[in-house]
Amino acid sequence: MALLHIALQEGFTGEPVAIAVDGQEIYRKDQVRTRTQIGHADSVETTHDAGPARIEIRARGTSSTLTPTIAGDLYLAVSISADGRIDHRASSQPFRYM
Amino acid sequence: MKDVDPISEQDSVTTDDSIDALHARSVSGLYATLGGIPGLELADEAGEVDLDAAGPSLIPALAGEELRLDVDGRYPQMTASGTIPISPVQRLHWIANVHATGPHTWSGGIWYKDPIVTPFGYTTVDIKVSSTPVPAIRKAKVVFNGPGLRPRVRIFRFRSQYFHKVEFEYDSESAITPLTTVATCAHPNHPATLPCENVSIRKVFQRAGFDASVTPASSTLTSPPGTTWSDMEMHDAMIVYWSKFANTAQWAFWVLFADQHDFGHGLGGIMFDDIGPNHRQGTSIFYNSFISDVPPGDPNPAAYTARNRFWTAVHEMGHAFNLAHSWQKSLGAPYGTPWIPLTDEPEARSFMNYPYGVAGGDTAFFADFEYRFSDVELLFMRHAPARFVRMGDAAWFDHHGFEQARVHPEAPLSLDLRVNRTRAAFEFLEPVVVELKLKNESKAPHIVDENILTTLDGITIALKRQGSPARQYVPFAQYCMQASPRVLQPGEAIYGSVYITAGLNGIDVAEPGRYVLQAALHTPTGDIVSRPLLLRIAPPRGYEEEVIAQDFFSDEVSRVLAFDGSRVLNDANKTLRDVVERLGELRVAKHARVPLGLAIAKRRKVLTVAPGTERTMRPAAAVGGSIKLEAAQPDRAASELKNALLTNADVAAESLGHVDYKYYVDELTRLLENEGESEEAAAAQDTMYQILAARNVLPSVLDEIAQRRQELTSTAKPSKKSKGKGI
């Protein structure tokens, strides 16, 4: 089992956010807001078997689906861009904030 | 290269030998006019600057103007900025890009002014600085030009090589040794051209343009082993441990070196203070976090860690100056608005970027990093309006009602702003009446205008609700009275009262919350400034108060309260009647009864105009208007006033204020006396005497009341009510 860490980072302004992994909802909050001084809003962790995963993120009336292949611990940063797009960035290393 | 142990610097309050040579042989820095006497600053004492006669100024000289010239020395931004007092509580802020036009001269266009609506038509500046190498006698001449305007000329004296002052206090957990100095070349990955030196945090901010000092008093915090810090705990610790903590804006902030945040290993530091009304006063750095991690194979792990810890401390402190991360510069609503349109700087080699966030990661970052902030950040820190940068500040002219007052160095008088109650807490809807006291503090008699606390001539009152901009109180009426000189003996004082809730500026003190009030008396030799008066308006206690408030907080009602009654503002009178009937137990009911009673206590002149259909304004006489006398209703008036003033008289004296309470009881007394009720009039004076004596009012005032009571008692005849009772 590998760690799947999903960090909600820039661009959240108090909106509801929901995250589902392989169709199972693992996160739902009504108000998610970025603390701009650290560029972080919230995060959630789960575990996942090695192999393909389907991660769906819903926020601001839109959704984004990612289908990474899990091979080890995965850190996924999710941000909302100025034009309302859901952006993501994957890393094998933990995120750092300051 | 000297290898330096990057441990704690022995920083203390600025001393000459420790000042970084930021602007050696430079002219950049802070300049200020003498201020105070308009025109005086135009004199050319140096004789080397050709002065033109200044034209009529759009902006009066109220106090010193400032100039920040940024054209040489460390990281010059080729910018000039300045502030000009435009009222006793407000400054105009301007910024210009400048370029050299000759030896010691610069010119450029003004591209920023704040507030933007100020009628300041000047669009360019020409600046000439005297060539003297001696800072103490250096001067700058600034000529403001604008289309159709005569040049506005100001001469400034050099004050400091820095643009602002700032003070840090470093506190730490007992197991942490704060690292506030680093050797720039201790780690082999650095720019080839980077000077190898020991750089302190203080020096970084000096180079950014700040006269930075470190508070000598630092504290060590002992926290239970294995515990981490929440933002709330750090905020509480800041209040307890920071020797300079105040709920106010100041160029100072607190830095905590701690073990770990509740967030865990992934948070290296945080500007935690986004709590309460005064933000950005506290930052923390966490040594038990990723900033102490060293990548495998690093050639100098100790230097790598030291650099990370140092860098993180400056980064968090940068947030206290309101600097955003490099990739957030353009971020707008709902987070806030950039002070000027900005673009992101995701690759900036600045303290405000994440080193691991740039292309090539932190190896690429530190290969080009010069221990500095970016130009955009330096422009903001040095030249943006202070309220945007200063720690604890919020909106325009936040908090500092008399920031630029020319405080009288040896004032013979003191001005006191106070309320006649132990705690300055007011009920919701309760009108706020404050008392002004002007006292001779010298050992010699002093002449003052006896009416000054009535006319408020030369007195400014600033008021500010917490979290809102400051406002200047403007009374509904401006009295023009002949000056009446009065000799104040040493220790003697005169008193006045001010209905502060509302004025021509609107309703200033009504919303629930905390307020700060401050008054200043402007004299030719300097301003006499009162201590700030802090007061609180309680929230409404029920739905009915909220409903009535919608009608009560209106211009008409405010005018009726300010002028002690009206015969024509019927809607306002109806609202006041509503207050009496529905909220009779509240203090506001006493305030409502006073104008309702006084308006009908005597015959009053009223202008009557027959209803017409004219659309053009014409003289009242031309449309049949006339001034008529409306009859008094003494019984109803006396009833209202007795209810207001003699029932729960202590509450009345407290809420109305001693000065106004005495005035109103004297009016009631006169009304009763005129109605032949001398005995009742004497009783009113007696009640007032007892109440004010218990409230420690001056003996001279009590003597006056006693004398009036005696006069009324000696002339009292059996009243209508006591007739037939053999009294």
Side-chain angles (χ1 to χ4, degrees):
Chain A
M1 296 286 272
L3 172 71
L4 175 58
H5 175 103
I6 303 172
L8 304 176
Q9 296 187 341
E10 300 282 359
F12 293 92
T13 59
E15 56 270 73
V17 176
I19 301 171
V21 177
D22 298 334
Q24 181 82 30
E25 186 169 281
I26 62 163
Y27 178 91
R28 174 179 288 276
K29 278 194 180 170
D30 288 340
Q31 291 196 331
V32 178
R33 186 181 301 276
T34 301
R35 290 190 82 189
T36 48
Q37 68 266 52
I38 56 172
H40 177 266
D42 204 356
S43 55
V44 60
E45 288 185 346
T46 185
T47 54
H48 198 279
D49 291 328
R54 179 183 173 84
I55 303 168
E56 185 180 10
I57 300 145
R58 291 191 300 276
R60 271 199 214 168
T62 186
S63 68
S64 177
T65 302
L66 317 173
T67 53
T69 300
I70 307 290
D73 290 351
L74 177 65
Y75 296 85
L76 188 65
V78 178
S79 295
I80 298 184
S81 65
D83 57 6
R85 252 189 2 260
I86 298 176
D87 290 338
H88 55 85
R89 174 172 55 91
S91 170
S92 60
Q93 299 296 318
F95 297 121
R96 296 164 284 180
Y97 305 94
M98 52 193 169
Chain B
M1 182 183 73
K2 184 181 174 186
D3 191 21
V4 172
D5 179 18
I7 308 298
S8 178
E9 63 177 324
Q10 296 301 308
D11 239 333
S12 62
V13 175
T14 305
T15 55
D16 288 341
D17 60 354
S18 64
I19 290 176
D20 183 51
L22 172 65
H23 295 301
R25 298 188 189 86
S26 75
V27 298
S28 291
L30 174 66
Y31 294 72
T33 60
L34 295 174
I37 304 171
L40 182 66
E41 65 270 34
L42 299 178
D44 180 20
E45 295 171 31
E48 64 171 315
V49 232
D50 176 27
L51 289 177
D52 302 315
S57 178
L58 289 178
I59 305 292
L62 288 172
E65 295 186 25
E66 291 177 341
L67 167 71
R68 287 178 174 80
L69 186 61
D70 186 2
V71 293
D72 55 15
R74 183 79 71 159
Y75 320 132
Q77 299 302 305
M78 299 312 293
T79 294
S81 65
T83 61
I84 303 170
I86 54 176
S87 86
V89 296
Q90 200 174 22
R91 280 176 175 265
L92 167 79
H93 192 106
W94 60 269
I95 306 176
N97 285 337
V98 295
H99 60 276
T101 53
H104 307 291
T105 59
W106 296 267
S107 294
I110 295 173
W111 57 269
Y112 181 92
K113 69 171 185 171
D114 179 64
I116 200 163
V117 294
T118 307
F120 186 76
Y122 302 103
T123 53
T124 62
V125 287
D126 297 306
I127 301 170
K128 181 171 186 177
V129 176
S130 53
S131 56
T132 173
V134 183
I137 60 170
R138 184 178 300 144
K139 291 182 183 176
K141 173 189 174 187
V142 179
V143 182
F144 297 86
N145 292 293
L149 298 172
R150 295 184 64 189
R152 178 180 191 269
V153 184
R154 288 292 181 272
I155 301 295
F156 296 82
R157 287 178 189 276
F158 184 80
R159 286 288 175 83
S160 169
Q161 62 183 316
Y162 300 105
F163 301 104
H164 297 281
K165 283 191 172 195
V166 71
E167 186 173 335
F168 324 131
E169 179 169 321
Y170 300 141
D171 289 350
S172 59
E173 279 195 89
S174 53
I176 303 291
T177 303
L179 188 147
T180 57
T181 297
V182 74
T184 56
C185 298
H187 194 277
N189 180 25
H190 60 79
T193 56
L194 183 70
C196 295
E197 57 180 339
N198 294 329
V199 173
S200 66
I201 292 173
R202 181 171 158 228
K203 191 165 286 188
V204 167
F205 284 99
Q206 285 176 337
R207 290 173 176 176
F210 288 83
D211 185 1
S213 59
V214 180
T215 310
S218 61
S219 301
T220 301
L221 291 66
T222 304
S223 50
T227 58
T228 55
W229 289 89
S230 70
D231 290 348
M232 186 192 72
E233 289 166 343
M234 289 186 290
H235 192 269
D236 288 347
M238 176 178 75
I239 292 170
V240 172
Y241 287 95
W242 182 25
S243 59
K244 286 193 173 297
F245 175 77
N247 267 324
T248 185
Q250 50 182 337
W251 286 105
F253 60 98
W254 187 64
V255 186
L256 173 66
F257 292 85
D259 184 67
Q260 193 173 85
H261 191 275
D262 288 351
F263 191 100
H265 196 74
L267 187 65
I270 187 169
M271 188 287 293
F272 61 82
D273 186 17
D274 53 1
I275 301 167
N278 301 103
H279 291 185
R280 298 185 287 106
Q281 299 186 105
T283 63
S284 292
I285 296 91
F286 305 108
Y287 280 15
N288 184 4
S289 74
F290 73 91
I291 67 170
S292 300
D293 295 346
V294 182
D298 187 89
N300 190 337
Y304 184 93
T305 303
R307 185 176 63 187
N308 259 5
R309 290 175 173 178
F310 179 87
W311 184 95
T312 304
V314 178
H315 173 93
E316 300 307 337
M317 293 167 77
H319 285 316
F321 288 81
N322 216 2
L323 293 177
H325 291 126
S326 300
W327 65 90
Q328 296 171 326
K329 301 296 185 191
S330 65
L331 204 59
Y335 300 109
T337 307
W339 76 290
I340 53 174
L342 296 173
T343 53
D344 294 337
E345 302 180 301
E347 290 296 321
R349 275 25 177 188
S350 159
F351 278 109
M352 300 317 295
N353 210 351
Y354 281 1
Y356 45 83
V358 307
D362 65 0
T363 302
F365 180 91
F366 283 111
D368 296 332
F369 181 60
E370 296 178 340
Y371 291 84
R372 59 165 293 187
F373 295 97
S374 73
D375 284 344
V376 164
E377 290 157 354
L378 290 171
L379 179 73
F380 175 77
M381 297 165 88
R382 295 172 176 180
H383 298 288
R387 74 181 193 281
F388 297 161
V389 188
R390 181 170 43 199
M391 302 82 211
D393 227 324
W396 171 237
F397 195 67
D398 200 349
H399 199 86
H400 289 280
F402 293 101
E403 181 185 34
Q404 71 276 23
R406 296 171 299 118
V407 177
H408 199 302
E410 294 174 349
L413 303 169
S414 67
L415 185 65
D416 196 14
L417 196 61
R418 61 191 195 177
V419 289
N420 299 128
R421 56 187 77 193
T422 49
R423 285 179 59 243
F426 290 76
E427 293 177 356
F428 183 64
L429 293 173
E430 183 183 5
V432 176
V433 179
V434 296
E435 189 174 284
L436 282 165
K437 177 183 178 184
L438 185 63
K439 183 180 179 185
N440 181 2
E441 300 284 1
S442 73
K443 293 180 178 173
H446 198 88
I447 297 174
V448 300
D449 177 4
E450 190 171 36
N451 300 320
I452 193 169
L453 299 184
T454 303
T455 62
L456 299 180
D457 194 18
I459 292 180
T460 302
I461 300 176
L463 35 86
K464 182 189 175 306
R465 181 166 181 254
Q466 198 170 59
S468 301
R471 291 164 64 84
Q472 184 173 342
Y473 167 70
V474 183
F476 281 116
Q478 187 73 51
Y479 295 95
C480 298
M481 301 171 84
Q482 186 177 21
S484 174
R486 171 177 167 176
V487 177
L488 273 188
Q489 297 298 333
E492 196 179 4
I494 56 174
Y495 301 82
S497 73
V498 183
Y499 164 64
I500 207 84
T501 295
L504 290 179
N505 264 350
I507 295 170
D508 289 321
V509 185
E511 290 282 325
R514 296 177 192 280
Y515 293 79
V516 181
L517 277 62
Q518 202 172 15
L521 168 63
H522 310 292
T523 76
T525 49
D527 296 337
I528 297 167
V529 181
S530 76
R531 284 176 302 172
L533 169 66
L534 309 178
L535 61 84
R536 175 176 172 268
I537 307 287
R541 283 175 293 187
Y543 178 69
E544 192 150 43
E545 290 180 37
E546 290 184 42
V547 172
I548 287 182
Q550 295 171 22
D551 294 324
F552 185 76
F553 290 126
S554 69
D555 183 68
E556 277 200 2
V557 170
S558 299
R559 285 174 185 273
V560 171
L561 289 167
F563 291 112
D564 287 337
S566 169
R567 290 271 184 127
V568 295
L569 296 176
N570 295 324
D571 287 345
N573 285 334
K574 183 173 175 300
T575 299
L576 294 175
R577 175 60 55 204
D578 218 20
V579 166
V580 169
E581 290 173 358
R582 294 166 66 184
L583 303 174
E585 298 305 309
L586 299 185
R587 292 174 172 220
V588 63
K590 292 194 173 293
H591 290 262
R593 285 183 185 278
V594 169
L596 289 174
L598 288 178
I600 55 174
K602 308 184 220 181
R603 289 189 303 168
R604 302 283 187 189
K605 294 186 286 297
V606 175
L607 173 65
T608 58
V609 181
T613 56
E614 291 87 357
R615 288 177 172 273
T616 307
M617 186 174 285
R618 299 168 63 194
V623 291
S626 63
I627 293 177
K628 293 182 177 171
L629 274 174
E630 286 195 352
Q633 300 176 55
D635 288 346
R636 276 187 58 201
S639 171
E640 295 286 9
L641 293 173
K642 282 190 279 187
N643 254 314
L645 305 169
L646 306 180
T647 305
N648 292 328
D650 189 55
V651 172
E654 181 172 291
S655 186
L656 296 165
H658 294 169
V659 173
D660 284 0
Y661 179 72
K662 181 174 183 305
Y663 170 79
Y664 295 140
V665 175
D666 285 343
E667 287 293 298
L668 169 62
T669 302
R670 198 168 296 119
L671 169 64
L672 293 169
E673 188 182 22
N674 291 342
E675 290 300 302
E677 303 285 359
S678 296
E679 195 176 342
E680 220 177 336
Q685 289 288 312
D686 187 59
T687 300
M688 176 162 68
Y689 183 94
Q690 304 299 335
I691 291 299
L692 294 186
R695 300 181 68 83
N696 296 318
V697 165
L698 285 177
S700 58
V701 176
L702 296 175
D703 290 346
E704 185 188 319
I705 297 169
Q707 188 179 343
R708 178 81 168 116
R709 178 181 59 186
Q710 180 57 38
E711 288 168 7
L712 289 163
T713 305
S714 62
T715 60
K717 297 172 184 173
S719 71
K720 295 170 192 168
K721 291 170 190 165
S722 59
K723 274 180 185 173
K725 292 185 181 175
I727 297 173

